[in-house]
Amino acid sequence: MIERPAAVRIIGAGPTGALLAILLQRRGHSVELYESRADPRLTAAPIGRTINLALADRGIHALQLARVFQDIEQSLLPMRGRLIHDRDGGTSLQPYGQRPNEVIYSVSRHRLNQALLEVAARQPGVTVHFEHRFEAAEFDLGKALIRDLRRDRLISVPMQPLLAADGAGSLMRRRMGSLNLIESHETDLEHGYKELSVPPDAAGGYALAADALHIWPRGNHMLIALPNEDGSFTATLFLAKQGPVSFASLTQTADIEQFFSRSFPDVRALMPDCVAEFKDRPVGFLGTVSARPWTYEGMTALIGDAAHAMVPFHGQGMNCCFEDCVELDACLGRHDSWEGAFAEFGALRKPDTDAIAAMALDNYLEMRERVADPKFRLQQALSLELERRYPRRFIPRYSMVMFHHEIPYRTALDRGAVQSRLLSELTAGRVSTLEDVDFERAEREILAQLAPVG
Ligand SMILES: Cc1cc2nc3c(=O)[nH]c(=O)nc-3n(C[C@H](O)[C@H](O)[C@H](O)COP(=O)(O)OP(=O)(O)OC[C@H]3O[C@@H](n4cnc5c(N)ncnc54)[C@H](O)[C@@H]3O)c2cc1C
């Protein structure tokens, strides 16, 4: 364990930087946190950044370890499944799990960030500098240059150690990449997103079922909606950036109107402002970030989205970032140097973040296409049935990721691949209901191929 308390610098006071500050302070280090934006505790939620997020077991576990969970618990809205909206207006609920605690929670990003910063700022030895933007790193001198935006003054701070939690567009990662200190890749998805709103109904209540994540899967595009505390929903439209039906092609009011009425007839009436919002709001970019290694000589390390941003289709980006903080904290407990801790953190964590990034991409196809397919629905029902029969051996991949923080992402990916093959074989051909499934074969295969978890 690193005995000597250090003065640690963190760039970025988003979810990752704020949680990390709390954990490092608890280890006895003093923390200087630099954030380019103004204090979110004093400002309204900015338009254009995702308004709400799905919080699941991994994120909750980290918040509990950091003793922040009780500060946010009251604001969590449970979602027990995906409510699929067909084109003809029909709906069906696909439960996320089968135990009462197997739900995910919609939480306001702004509220969560406020709670984390509240706790961080309360810790003696943590100082948060808002409106301070990291601008450059001088690796040969071990210094970072940070601009105090209020006074327009450049200050120089020692790195050794400096954690870069500056998000998907991380300047630190790009600098390290351009100097060939690390390899860094950013892969853009051909789809982007826009956030739209579903206001409360006339009585001030929820216009859609409040205990579900709503999905309108339409093949090459999709709409989702998560509830907010005030009775509204935030809807996110995922659509190609270019092409015949895309953000680029939909510019005229009549075309946008027709697009919504055709693709999402049941919710169109509940979104009175969707055409204006579609025209006014920016297109958000989606992509995957990959870097290797995440550290440079114990001087600095990337963490959170800065190291491994992913597409949002598994609702795990922030959950994964919170898990990073817990993992790094554990590495610090096992090493007597920052260099050793950073090296172990990257080596242990990267296979897991690669795995969840791959599963997040895979989930895009699942959400926009496969959820509407009867065979997929049968396989989902079968996987829950197999979990009931063999709870330690067969756990649906979605459940491993969302409800089992003790199962690493890479294990979820590997076991998920075996299970997926099995589900395809068991539901092949004419099998159309659970009664048609050969459960004797299922048992033989599960006992042979899937060792008990843990
Ligand atoms: C559409 C969408 C939906 C999502 N839904 C979910 C979900 O349901 N569940 C989930 O778990 N995850 C979700 N995510 C992912 C989640 O938003 C991210 O994983 C998470 O916000 C990453 O946290 P972070 O602190 O690492 O980075 P960020 O949240 O990006 O925070 C980085 C911080 O660093 C600051 N900063 C940046 N550059 C500088 C600089 N040069 N100097 C100083 N400060 C700087 C920024 O202002 C910001 O405050 C979603 C993402 C998107 C895009």
Side-chain angles (χ1 to χ4, degrees):
M1 185 168 103
I2 297 170
E3 297 287 356
R4 211 152 39 94
V8 184
R9 271 91 193 173
I10 301 176
I11 307 286
T16 307
L19 183 66
L20 188 61
I22 297 166
L23 294 174
L24 290 176
Q25 189 277 341
R26 299 250 163 90
R27 270 200 178 274
H29 305 298
S30 65
V31 180
E32 304 281 328
L33 190 50
Y34 297 97
E35 166 59 48
S36 55
R37 293 203 173 95
D39 187 344
R41 292 168 299 169
L42 311 175
T43 54
I47 296 209
R49 299 208 82 210
T50 45
I51 289 166
N52 50 25
L53 300 159
L55 179 69
D57 183 52
R58 290 170 204 269
I60 291 173
H61 178 65
L63 293 173
Q64 283 170 335
L65 286 180
R67 303 198 285 278
V68 184
F69 185 63
Q70 64 272 24
D71 295 54
I72 192 73
E73 199 173 0
Q74 299 302 320
S75 304
L76 301 185
L77 301 169
M79 301 181 289
R80 59 198 173 94
R82 297 164 166 164
L83 196 83
I84 309 298
H85 296 249
D86 298 333
R87 266 183 207 275
D88 61 9
T91 57
S92 54
L93 182 76
Q94 297 180 1
Y96 281 134
Q98 52 190 330
R99 301 183 180 92
N101 63 331
E102 290 183 343
V103 297
I104 61 174
Y105 297 91
S106 175
V107 63
S108 148
R109 174 194 287 275
H110 195 62
R111 174 77 198 85
L112 179 56
N113 213 7
Q114 285 175 329
L116 282 163
L117 282 167
E118 201 60 63
V119 177
R122 268 205 308 264
Q123 312 299 315
V126 174
T127 313
V128 193
H129 305 270
F130 293 102
E131 298 177 65
H132 277 64
R133 187 175 62 215
F134 162 68
E135 291 195 345
E138 297 175 329
F139 292 98
D140 45 346
L141 301 175
K143 303 266 188 212
L145 297 178
I146 291 172
R147 185 171 301 278
D148 174 347
L149 297 170
R150 278 174 280 198
R151 296 185 186 80
D152 195 19
R153 201 170 49 124
L154 208 54
I155 53 177
S156 167
V157 302
M159 296 216 261
Q160 239 126 20
L162 180 146
L163 276 302
D166 50 345
S170 169
L171 180 63
M172 178 63 90
R173 185 189 68 248
R174 288 177 178 165
R175 279 285 141 84
M176 290 162 83
S178 65
L179 293 171
N180 293 323
L181 304 178
I182 62 169
E183 278 175 43
S184 163
H185 301 283
E186 297 172 25
T187 315
D188 276 358
L189 202 66
E190 66 280 14
H191 288 65
Y193 72 95
K194 273 191 198 222
E195 292 208 323
L196 310 165
S197 49
V198 180
D201 63 17
Y206 288 100
L208 297 162
D211 60 350
L213 189 154
H214 295 259
I215 308 185
W216 291 259
R218 299 294 181 259
N220 59 357
H221 58 277
M222 92 175 159
L223 184 73
I224 68 167
L226 277 75
N228 297 313
E229 281 185 282
D230 65 358
S232 68
F233 282 80
T234 301
T236 310
L237 173 66
F238 296 95
L239 179 67
K241 286 182 282 190
Q242 303 289 334
V245 183
S246 67
F247 285 118
S249 71
L250 289 169
T251 54
Q252 303 302 310
T253 302
D255 295 340
I256 302 169
E257 181 61 64
Q258 196 184 45
F259 168 74
F260 277 102
S261 304
R262 274 205 188 144
S263 286
F264 315 115
D266 61 336
V267 75
R268 170 66 190 92
L270 306 176
M271 302 173 75
D273 301 327
C274 68
V275 174
E277 288 172 345
F278 184 93
K279 285 172 118 177
D280 293 347
R281 299 208 171 154
V283 179
F285 287 86
L286 300 167
T288 305
V289 158
S290 161
R292 182 194 304 263
W294 293 348
T295 175
Y296 178 66
E297 290 190 349
M299 193 183 282
T300 186
L302 305 169
I303 187 162
D305 268 20
H308 53 64
M310 64 194 73
V311 295
F313 306 111
H314 218 305
Q316 275 292 302
M318 178 189 65
N319 287 276
C320 174
C321 294
F322 284 168
E323 201 174 67
D324 280 1
C325 297
V326 172
E327 293 286 321
L328 176 62
D329 187 48
C331 291
L332 290 170
R334 291 194 287 269
H335 287 266
D336 56 12
S337 74
W338 291 89
E339 190 166 3
F342 287 167
E344 193 199 8
F345 169 61
L348 279 183
R349 194 73 185 132
K350 176 117 172 87
D352 283 322
T353 59
D354 284 350
I356 183 59
M359 289 189 279
L361 269 173
D362 185 48
N363 233 36
Y364 190 27
L365 262 191
E366 179 166 320
M367 285 174 84
R368 64 179 219 235
E369 233 169 80
R370 290 202 291 261
V371 286
D373 172 7
K375 209 55 146 188
F376 174 82
R377 294 182 187 194
L378 173 63
Q379 289 177 359
Q380 270 203 319
L382 177 58
S383 61
L384 291 175
E385 177 58 30
L386 292 176
E387 185 186 29
R388 269 190 288 278
R389 294 181 182 214
Y390 314 99
R392 293 192 55 231
R393 288 181 189 261
F394 194 108
I395 305 173
R397 188 176 91 176
Y398 184 86
S399 300
M400 286 191 271
V401 170
M402 302 306 266
F403 308 132
H404 289 270
H405 69 263
E406 74 287 1
I407 300 178
Y409 286 127
R410 68 190 112 158
T411 308
L413 180 67
D414 293 345
R415 293 181 73 99
V418 175
Q419 294 180 174
S420 168
R421 267 196 308 277
L422 195 54
L423 289 172
S424 297
E425 287 165 17
L426 292 169
T427 57
R430 297 225 188 110
V431 177
S432 61
T433 69
L434 283 184
E435 284 72 55
D436 301 333
V437 171
D438 180 350
F439 281 101
E440 282 177 15
R441 177 178 174 199
E443 172 156 324
R444 274 196 313 277
E445 299 288 349
I446 288 172
L447 295 182
Q449 296 187 50
L450 292 163
V453 174

